[in-house]
Amino acid sequence: DAGVIQSPRHEVTEMGQEVTLRCKPISGHNSLFWYRQTMMRGLELLIYFNNNVPIDDSGMPEDRFSAKMPNASFSTLKIQPSEPRDSAVYFCASSWGTGGGGSNQPQHFGDGTRLSIL
Amino acid sequence: GEDVEQSLFLSVREGDSSVINCTYTDSSSTYLYWYKQEPGAGLQLLTYIFSNMDMKQDQRLTVLLNKKDKHLSLRIADTQTGDSAIYFCAEITPGNTPLVFGKGTRLSVIA
């Protein structure tokens, strides 16, 4: 079975550039989550969608971050303009859940995108 | 608000048992999870326990839940070098909320 697929696996770019991270959730899952992981702050939930609708984006750090889910099989997380402090591993996860994961169905994670902003 | 706490590091010798502890604050938690993260990979679900259970065993893994003290533990028997990873505790509560994760415990297994 295909799991959550993220691309690219690694991204290195200069500050000020636009960065787009992509995620394909597991087919049939209706909730999608974007996380950021750093040594200092651990795993942070940035935003999550249910049935393609953003439910809570309170974790998005700044207006430079935006996320979309145009259909059930694709989501993007965009950073524009990027800054060195955005360097982190970004994870996408999906699950089958009602209204954002309130069930016993666990989240399945992709392998992440390691982002380095120079 | 909800909070999940874990110790950051644990070091054990190969063949010994590992016990990773977690405390949480929300008494309405319905399910509690343990995830494992190996280097360069995403989080992988190891096991979970429903809040009305005290214990769950799955091969080398034993999960203990003390709901009164809001304490969850993961015991790994006969720890192997392949068990070296970061282990995350997470809880979910009723309603439209996603998982709340702890900061993770880095387990190092010494050969």
Side-chain angles (χ1 to χ4, degrees):
Chain A
D1 288 347
V4 175
I5 299 172
Q6 292 186 244
S7 63
R9 286 298 314 275
H10 303 273
E11 174 93 11
V12 180
T13 192
E14 293 185 344
M15 65 177 292
Q17 298 297 306
E18 178 178 289
V19 173
T20 300
L21 310 181
R22 297 173 176 79
C23 176
K24 178 177 167 55
I26 291 173
S27 177
H29 283 186
N30 66 342
S31 293
L32 183 139
F33 308 81
W34 282 102
Y35 292 88
R36 177 171 69 175
Q37 186 179 37
T38 60
M39 288 292 290
M40 291 296 293
R41 301 169 75 97
L43 194 65
E44 301 173 276
L45 177 64
L46 301 177
I47 184 171
Y48 72 97
F49 297 82
N50 183 251
N51 294 324
N52 310 339
V53 175
I55 303 299
D56 185 354
D57 66 354
S58 60
M60 296 284 261
E62 301 169 35
D63 290 345
R64 299 183 295 105
F65 286 68
S66 63
K68 293 183 180 179
M69 192 164 187
N71 58 62
S73 59
F74 184 66
S75 176
T76 60
L77 177 68
K78 191 171 290 189
I79 309 172
Q80 167 64 18
S82 58
E83 296 183 5
R85 60 194 167 117
D86 302 330
S87 298
V89 182
Y90 289 81
F91 288 105
C92 176
S94 70
S95 72
W96 170 253
T98 56
S103 75
N104 72 324
Q105 299 304 311
Q107 293 177 20
H108 296 260
F109 282 75
D111 285 335
T113 295
R114 184 172 296 275
L115 177 64
S116 297
I117 308 295
L118 306 177
Chain B
E2 306 142 346
D3 196 17
V4 177
E5 298 283 342
Q6 302 177 240
S7 53
L8 294 182
F9 300 99
L10 176 65
S11 182
V12 299
R13 292 199 177 277
E14 189 176 19
D16 288 350
S17 292
S18 309
V19 179
I20 303 171
N21 294 301
C22 169
T23 57
Y24 58 97
T25 56
D26 196 327
S27 58
S28 65
S29 295
T30 52
Y31 290 90
L32 294 122
Y33 299 85
W34 284 105
Y35 280 81
K36 176 184 181 182
Q37 184 182 27
E38 295 182 359
L43 279 68
Q44 174 192 9
L45 179 69
L46 269 184
T47 186
Y48 67 90
I49 188 168
F50 188 46
S51 59
N52 69 352
M53 297 170 64
D54 297 324
M55 185 181 86
K56 181 178 179 181
Q57 186 146 6
D58 183 3
Q59 299 182 338
R60 292 190 299 120
L61 305 179
T62 303
V63 179
L64 294 177
L65 176 60
N66 182 328
K67 200 170 180 183
K68 174 176 167 288
D69 294 339
K70 301 191 192 71
H71 182 266
L72 181 75
S73 68
L74 173 69
R75 179 176 180 270
I76 306 172
D78 186 25
T79 312
Q80 303 298 307
T81 54
D83 296 323
S84 294
I86 303 175
Y87 291 81
F88 290 89
C89 169
E91 65 167 352
I92 200 163
T93 54
N96 297 340
T97 57
L99 291 178
V100 178
F101 284 89
K103 287 194 171 2
T105 299
R106 186 179 295 273
L107 174 65
S108 298
V109 181
I110 305 165

